[in-house]
Amino acid sequence: MVWWRSILAVLLVVLPCEAAFPQAPASTPMPPSALRAAVPLLCTENNRAAHTRVRGSGVIADSGGTLLTAAHVILQARSDCTLSVMIPDEEWTRAGRLRAFLVGDCHLSQPLDLAVCRIHPAENSRDWGYIRAARIRLRPATSGEPVWVTTFTGWGLSPLTRSGHITGRQNYQRQDGCRCDFATDIMAVEGMSGSPVISSTGEVLGILTLAGKEKFHGLSFGVSFEEAKSFLTAEGVIASGGSVYHEPL
């Protein structure tokens, strides 16, 4: 697995020791757990570090390595690259080292554009100890409530956090047949698919799956975990009684 070290060497060049993250207004401070709620999904072509790029973002649901992301991220990557995620041994703002995990055993719900995958360490089994689960909450997003999105985009591994509000709470039917159940006024960019939508209390309510275009430019759409409850229960992410298997960040 020497090529994983090459990937890290390339990517760490663009990871600052103290990244400057966009902050929400002082009246609505960013939840402390917002930065740790997301992980980058990397697409490596032909096992070459020079051909590694961020394909999307995801959420770690439990310490056993359950990853939640957008189904289309998995579908698009299956044919042309190997997917992995990087997890810091500390916070992203002072990460001394990143741990590589391979993505596999994915189950998809295309109507929801949601994927449940399992990850495992690429090199050292002791890296299991660095996984930190997000605080997942099963409830509808409330129209008007402030939310944050933590994502990864471009070629680097610096998390980007954007703030905004839930602008709509209803079912949105997409042209490809998928459906979303909430909208935000946060403009989506490439790499934001699968990004966690985080409440003011630091709980992850769902993920982004679609960027608004044309008359919906400037908006982003997603699926809440409440909407996906049946699928997540079938995949073992949620217990039959409705509780979520997770440990706090």
Side-chain angles (χ1 to χ4, degrees):
M1 289 289 184
V2 176
W3 58 287
W4 282 112
R5 298 189 183 94
S6 298
I7 292 173
L8 285 172
V10 171
L11 292 172
L12 283 174
V13 171
V14 291
L15 178 65
C17 294
E18 292 291 338
F21 302 110
Q23 298 292 323
S27 59
T28 53
M30 182 178 66
S33 59
L35 283 179
R36 197 60 191 264
V39 293
L41 273 76
L42 305 183
C43 173
T44 303
E45 303 172 14
N46 302 320
N47 292 353
R48 294 174 59 186
H51 290 175
T52 295
R53 59 191 176 90
V54 175
R55 177 58 68 89
S57 303
V59 182
I60 302 297
D62 58 47
S63 59
T66 300
L67 174 75
L68 306 178
T69 188
H72 72 262
V73 172
I74 303 300
L75 288 172
Q76 292 170 1
R78 278 179 170 173
S79 61
D80 60 6
C81 65
T82 298
L83 275 180
S84 62
V85 301
M86 294 293 177
I87 296 177
D89 55 5
E90 297 183 60
E91 299 298 326
W92 284 103
T93 51
R94 56 179 187 278
R97 181 180 176 185
L98 298 177
R99 315 284 169 161
F101 288 74
L102 295 175
V103 178
D105 189 23
C106 293
H107 295 183
L108 312 180
S109 171
Q110 290 183 260
L112 297 172
D113 198 0
L114 182 63
V116 175
C117 302
R118 313 298 171 183
I119 64 173
H120 59 89
E123 290 189 319
N124 194 327
S125 61
R126 288 180 295 182
D127 288 346
W128 283 114
Y130 293 97
I131 292 180
R132 298 291 183 271
R135 294 174 55 201
I136 292 175
R137 177 69 182 273
L138 298 182
R139 73 163 175 83
T142 304
S143 183
E145 76 169 293
V147 290
W148 288 258
V149 170
T150 300
T151 189
F152 297 82
T153 184
W155 293 83
L157 291 180
S158 297
L160 169 68
T161 299
R162 291 185 169 182
S163 62
H165 296 83
I166 300 295
T167 58
R169 176 67 179 91
Q170 58 183 322
N171 287 321
Y172 301 91
Q173 190 72 30
R174 289 166 36 176
Q175 291 182 348
D176 59 4
C178 295
R179 65 180 187 269
C180 305
D181 67 304
F182 68 85
T184 81
D185 58 5
I186 300 172
M187 182 181 294
V189 297
E190 184 179 0
M192 288 181 71
S193 293
S195 298
V197 178
I198 306 160
S199 72
S200 58
T201 57
E203 297 168 323
V204 181
L205 305 179
I207 63 169
L208 291 186
T209 60
L210 181 68
K213 298 179 180 179
E214 298 177 353
K215 67 178 181 179
F216 299 109
H217 181 71
L219 300 179
S220 56
F221 299 84
V223 60
S224 69
F225 295 139
E226 172 69 21
E227 178 75 8
K229 182 177 178 179
S230 296
F231 173 63
L232 296 177
T233 300
E235 294 303 321
V237 180
I238 299 172
S240 57
S243 60
V244 181
Y245 296 121
H246 75 271
E247 300 79 26
L249 288 165

